[in-house]
Amino acid sequence: RSLRTLRNVPAFHSHLLELIASSRRSEETRRFLLALTSGYGGLPPIEMRAHDPVVYVGDMLAFCFRSFSVEADVAAGLLD
């Protein structure tokens, strides 16, 4: 509701979207590094499977896919 109200003031609206994007980016980076080194969401660390390149890259891509789908839902909610 507040984003719809701020659309009337383009400078504030674009600044707010930039702040949200910056915050989301840093949080996703933190989650990825956590998943890579310590595990995240009850899963073991991705680096534990670094000896098998196919599984290692597959785990990283699976994490990215899950993150992208969540971020797409957030973006759709913000921009509707």
Side-chain angles (χ1 to χ4, degrees):
R1 181 176 167 199
S2 61
L3 281 173
R4 276 186 246 133
T5 304
L6 282 176
R7 284 185 185 164
N8 298 329
V9 186
F12 288 146
H13 186 257
S14 63
H15 183 66
L16 181 62
L17 289 178
E18 288 175 15
L19 287 174
I20 292 170
S22 174
S23 173
R24 302 289 303 178
R25 183 181 319 114
S26 64
E27 181 62 22
E28 282 303 316
T29 301
R30 186 191 67 77
R31 284 184 191 152
F32 179 73
L33 292 174
L34 185 65
L36 194 63
T37 58
S38 303
Y40 183 78
L43 297 172
I46 295 173
E47 287 187 339
M48 287 189 67
R49 298 184 193 170
H51 62 279
D52 186 354
V54 173
V55 174
Y56 183 61
V57 172
D59 287 348
M60 283 193 282
L61 291 175
F63 181 88
C64 291
F65 178 77
R66 285 190 303 268
S67 296
F68 292 158
S69 65
V70 168
E71 291 303 313
D73 291 341
V74 169
L78 287 174
L79 300 176
D80 66 357

